Amino acid sequence: EDPNPDTEEVRVRGWQKIVLFALFIKPGSVCFNVGDFLRSDEPFTDCFTWQRSQWIESFSNLQRKLLVPPILQSLVLSKRPTLVKEWVAKICKWNFQQIIPAHFTAPIRANSRDFERAFQFLDEEPASPPKQSWLPKFGREKDGLVQLAEADMKLFSEVDEVLIRSGVVKGERSTT
């Protein structure tokens, strides 16, 4: 019997896992055994092991929230915080009540204050990847930060460290 029958529930779970791959490239909740893959005649996807409670929690933290993609936070925007903050300030002068993201469910109820908070990671030391991201839980915890899972951010942390140590990327010093 097929362990993943073609049902709506299985498709939704598959989509949720794809979202985690798209945002984190190597989510902390998935283990990929390269050795098993190289020695096996099994399908490629059978070499992935998902830690169920961990991936469900990671996905739930991201649902219906204003999010600057983690790869942009870690490897791009955090390197030029002053320039990005200037751009954010320009956007925040606009009067808006919702944002239509390029991906995921839209629209997201958000105003300029929410937009500015989405970039709060820029206040961290720019030479290291962000440890937290403003993910407003609309209608619930509107004034707090939700921690991005350290395991999900691990790949970006490692890549960032290599880029900085090798001198390929130089982060500007924070002015705040």
Side-chain angles (χ1 to χ4, degrees):
E1 184 176 319
D2 184 357
N4 294 310
D6 187 11
T7 65
E8 184 174 348
E9 180 183 349
V10 169
R11 288 180 186 188
V12 167
R13 281 196 323 255
W15 175 79
Q16 291 171 339
K17 291 175 181 180
I18 288 170
V19 166
L20 292 174
F21 272 118
L23 289 175
F24 299 109
I25 300 174
K26 197 316 190 163
S29 55
V30 68
C31 297
F32 177 68
N33 189 325
V34 176
D36 286 352
F37 171 68
L38 295 174
R39 290 187 298 271
S40 176
D41 291 332
E42 295 298 316
F44 176 72
T45 56
D46 288 352
C47 299
F48 289 97
T49 304
W50 287 87
Q51 297 169 8
R52 182 166 174 78
S53 63
Q54 192 178 352
W55 77 260
I56 290 172
E57 183 180 336
S58 286
F59 183 82
S60 294
N61 271 345
L62 302 171
Q63 280 187 300
R64 302 194 58 75
K65 299 181 181 81
L66 191 56
L67 171 69
V68 176
I71 193 168
L72 293 179
Q73 288 184 33
S74 300
L75 303 179
V76 181
L77 303 178
S78 63
K79 305 304 177 259
R80 301 285 306 274
T82 302
L83 185 66
V84 177
K85 287 178 183 182
E86 288 170 3
W87 175 78
V88 168
K90 287 179 185 176
I91 301 299
C92 288
K93 291 178 183 176
W94 302 349
N95 181 20
F96 58 90
Q97 286 77 44
Q98 63 184 11
I99 294 174
I100 300 174
H103 306 287
F104 308 123
T105 303
I108 295 174
R109 240 186 17 212
N111 58 30
S112 59
R113 183 172 171 239
D114 298 320
F115 184 79
E116 183 176 41
R117 285 188 176 162
F119 289 86
Q120 196 165 357
F121 66 90
L122 294 169
D123 294 330
E124 294 184 21
E125 179 60 36
S128 63
K131 293 177 180 58
Q132 58 190 7
S133 175
W134 170 252
L135 299 174
K137 292 184 176 182
F138 296 106
R140 292 187 287 157
E141 299 174 35
K142 217 171 170 161
D143 291 318
L145 292 172
V146 174
Q147 195 80 13
L148 289 175
E150 190 173 314
D152 288 335
M153 296 297 287
K154 184 177 182 208
L155 175 67
F156 299 138
S157 296
E158 292 169 353
V159 169
D160 191 57
E161 186 177 326
V162 168
L163 293 174
I164 290 172
R165 280 190 183 176
S166 66
V168 171
V169 172
K170 295 181 188 330
E172 95 185 24
R173 284 280 171 221
S174 179
T175 58
T176 59

Short mmCIF file of all heavy atoms in Angstrom, two decimals, residues 132-153:
data_model
loop_
_atom_site.label_atom_id
_atom_site.label_comp_id
_atom_site.label_asym_id
_atom_site.label_seq_id
_atom_site.Cartn_x
_atom_site.Cartn_y
_atom_site.Cartn_z
N GLN A 132 16.46 36.25 15.21
CA GLN A 132 15.02 36.32 15.37
C GLN A 132 14.45 37.17 14.25
O GLN A 132 15.14 37.91 13.59
CB GLN A 132 14.64 36.89 16.72
CG GLN A 132 15.20 38.28 16.98
CD GLN A 132 14.98 38.67 18.43
OE1 GLN A 132 14.53 37.87 19.23
NE2 GLN A 132 15.29 39.90 18.76
N SER A 133 13.19 36.99 14.03
CA SER A 133 12.53 37.74 12.98
C SER A 133 11.20 38.21 13.52
O SER A 133 10.56 37.50 14.29
CB SER A 133 12.32 36.85 11.76
OG SER A 133 11.59 37.53 10.78
N TRP A 134 10.80 39.39 13.13
CA TRP A 134 9.48 39.88 13.52
C TRP A 134 8.45 39.15 12.67
O TRP A 134 8.41 39.30 11.47
CB TRP A 134 9.38 41.38 13.30
CG TRP A 134 7.99 41.89 13.45
CD1 TRP A 134 7.19 42.32 12.45
CD2 TRP A 134 7.23 41.99 14.64
NE1 TRP A 134 5.98 42.70 12.96
CE2 TRP A 134 5.97 42.50 14.30
CE3 TRP A 134 7.49 41.69 15.97
CZ2 TRP A 134 4.98 42.73 15.23
CZ3 TRP A 134 6.49 41.92 16.90
CH2 TRP A 134 5.26 42.43 16.53
N LEU A 135 7.68 38.34 13.32
CA LEU A 135 6.61 37.62 12.63
C LEU A 135 5.33 37.91 13.39
O LEU A 135 4.96 37.18 14.31
CB LEU A 135 6.88 36.10 12.64
CG LEU A 135 8.14 35.64 11.95
CD1 LEU A 135 8.34 34.14 12.17
CD2 LEU A 135 8.09 35.93 10.48
N PRO A 136 4.65 38.99 13.07
CA PRO A 136 3.45 39.32 13.85
C PRO A 136 2.37 38.27 13.70
O PRO A 136 2.10 37.82 12.60
CB PRO A 136 3.01 40.66 13.26
CG PRO A 136 3.70 40.80 11.97
CD PRO A 136 4.91 39.93 12.00
N LYS A 137 1.84 37.84 14.80
CA LYS A 137 0.72 36.91 14.77
C LYS A 137 -0.53 37.78 14.83
O LYS A 137 -0.98 38.16 15.89
CB LYS A 137 0.77 35.96 15.97
CG LYS A 137 1.93 35.00 15.90
CD LYS A 137 1.85 34.02 17.04
CE LYS A 137 2.96 33.01 16.92
NZ LYS A 137 2.90 32.02 17.97
N PHE A 138 -1.05 38.12 13.68
CA PHE A 138 -2.14 39.08 13.59
C PHE A 138 -3.34 38.60 14.38
O PHE A 138 -3.80 37.49 14.24
CB PHE A 138 -2.50 39.35 12.14
CG PHE A 138 -1.36 40.00 11.41
CD1 PHE A 138 -0.61 39.28 10.50
CD2 PHE A 138 -0.99 41.30 11.69
CE1 PHE A 138 0.47 39.86 9.87
CE2 PHE A 138 0.09 41.89 11.06
CZ PHE A 138 0.82 41.17 10.14
N GLY A 139 -3.82 39.50 15.24
CA GLY A 139 -4.99 39.20 16.05
C GLY A 139 -4.63 38.49 17.34
O GLY A 139 -5.47 38.27 18.17
N ARG A 140 -3.35 38.09 17.51
CA ARG A 140 -2.96 37.41 18.74
C ARG A 140 -1.77 38.13 19.39
O ARG A 140 -1.98 39.03 20.16
CB ARG A 140 -2.63 35.94 18.46
CG ARG A 140 -3.89 35.17 18.07
CD ARG A 140 -3.66 33.70 17.95
NE ARG A 140 -2.88 33.43 16.73
CZ ARG A 140 -2.15 32.35 16.55
NH1 ARG A 140 -2.08 31.44 17.46
NH2 ARG A 140 -1.51 32.16 15.43
N GLU A 141 -0.54 37.79 19.06
CA GLU A 141 0.63 38.40 19.70
C GLU A 141 1.22 39.48 18.82
O GLU A 141 2.30 39.31 18.28
CB GLU A 141 1.69 37.33 19.96
CG GLU A 141 1.27 36.23 20.86
CD GLU A 141 2.33 35.16 20.93
OE1 GLU A 141 3.52 35.48 20.88
OE2 GLU A 141 1.95 34.00 21.01
N LYS A 142 0.55 40.58 18.72
CA LYS A 142 0.99 41.60 17.77
C LYS A 142 2.23 42.36 18.21
O LYS A 142 2.86 43.03 17.42
CB LYS A 142 -0.16 42.58 17.53
CG LYS A 142 -0.18 43.02 16.09
CD LYS A 142 -1.41 43.78 15.80
CE LYS A 142 -1.22 44.38 14.42
NZ LYS A 142 -2.31 44.79 13.74
N ASP A 143 2.64 42.26 19.47
CA ASP A 143 3.77 43.07 19.93
C ASP A 143 5.00 42.25 20.30
O ASP A 143 5.84 42.72 21.05
CB ASP A 143 3.34 43.91 21.14
CG ASP A 143 2.36 44.98 20.73
OD1 ASP A 143 2.56 45.61 19.68
OD2 ASP A 143 1.38 45.17 21.45
N GLY A 144 5.16 41.06 19.77
CA GLY A 144 6.31 40.25 20.13
C GLY A 144 7.08 39.76 18.93
O GLY A 144 6.68 39.92 17.79
N LEU A 145 8.23 39.17 19.23
CA LEU A 145 9.04 38.54 18.19
C LEU A 145 8.87 37.04 18.29
O LEU A 145 8.80 36.49 19.37
CB LEU A 145 10.52 38.90 18.39
CG LEU A 145 10.90 40.34 18.15
CD1 LEU A 145 12.34 40.57 18.58
CD2 LEU A 145 10.74 40.71 16.70
N VAL A 146 8.82 36.39 17.15
CA VAL A 146 8.76 34.94 17.12
C VAL A 146 10.13 34.46 16.67
O VAL A 146 10.66 34.93 15.66
CB VAL A 146 7.67 34.46 16.14
CG1 VAL A 146 7.71 32.95 16.01
CG2 VAL A 146 6.30 34.91 16.63
N GLN A 147 10.69 33.57 17.41
CA GLN A 147 12.02 33.06 17.09
C GLN A 147 11.95 32.13 15.88
O GLN A 147 11.14 31.23 15.83
CB GLN A 147 12.53 32.27 18.30
CG GLN A 147 13.99 31.97 18.29
CD GLN A 147 14.83 33.14 18.73
OE1 GLN A 147 14.32 34.11 19.25
NE2 GLN A 147 16.10 33.07 18.49
N LEU A 148 12.80 32.41 14.88
CA LEU A 148 12.97 31.44 13.80
C LEU A 148 13.80 30.31 14.38
O LEU A 148 14.76 30.55 15.11
CB LEU A 148 13.69 32.06 12.61
CG LEU A 148 12.90 33.08 11.80
CD1 LEU A 148 13.79 33.71 10.72
CD2 LEU A 148 11.70 32.44 11.14
N ALA A 149 13.43 29.09 14.06
CA ALA A 149 14.13 27.94 14.63
C ALA A 149 15.61 27.99 14.26
O ALA A 149 15.97 28.13 13.10
CB ALA A 149 13.50 26.65 14.14
N GLU A 150 16.46 27.87 15.27
CA GLU A 150 17.91 27.89 15.04
C GLU A 150 18.30 26.78 14.07
O GLU A 150 19.17 26.97 13.23
CB GLU A 150 18.63 27.72 16.38
CG GLU A 150 20.12 27.97 16.29
CD GLU A 150 20.77 27.97 17.66
OE1 GLU A 150 20.24 28.58 18.58
OE2 GLU A 150 21.83 27.32 17.76
N ALA A 151 17.65 25.63 14.19
CA ALA A 151 17.96 24.51 13.29
C ALA A 151 17.62 24.86 11.84
O ALA A 151 18.34 24.46 10.92
CB ALA A 151 17.19 23.26 13.73
N ASP A 152 16.55 25.63 11.64
CA ASP A 152 16.18 26.03 10.28
C ASP A 152 17.18 27.04 9.72
O ASP A 152 17.44 27.06 8.53
CB ASP A 152 14.77 26.64 10.25
CG ASP A 152 13.68 25.60 10.44
OD1 ASP A 152 13.91 24.41 10.15
OD2 ASP A 152 12.59 25.99 10.89
N MET A 153 17.73 27.87 10.57
CA MET A 153 18.66 28.91 10.14
C MET A 153 20.11 28.43 10.07
O MET A 153 21.00 29.16 9.64
CB MET A 153 18.57 30.11 11.09
CG MET A 153 17.22 30.81 11.10
SD MET A 153 16.79 31.54 9.52
CE MET A 153 17.90 32.94 9.50
#
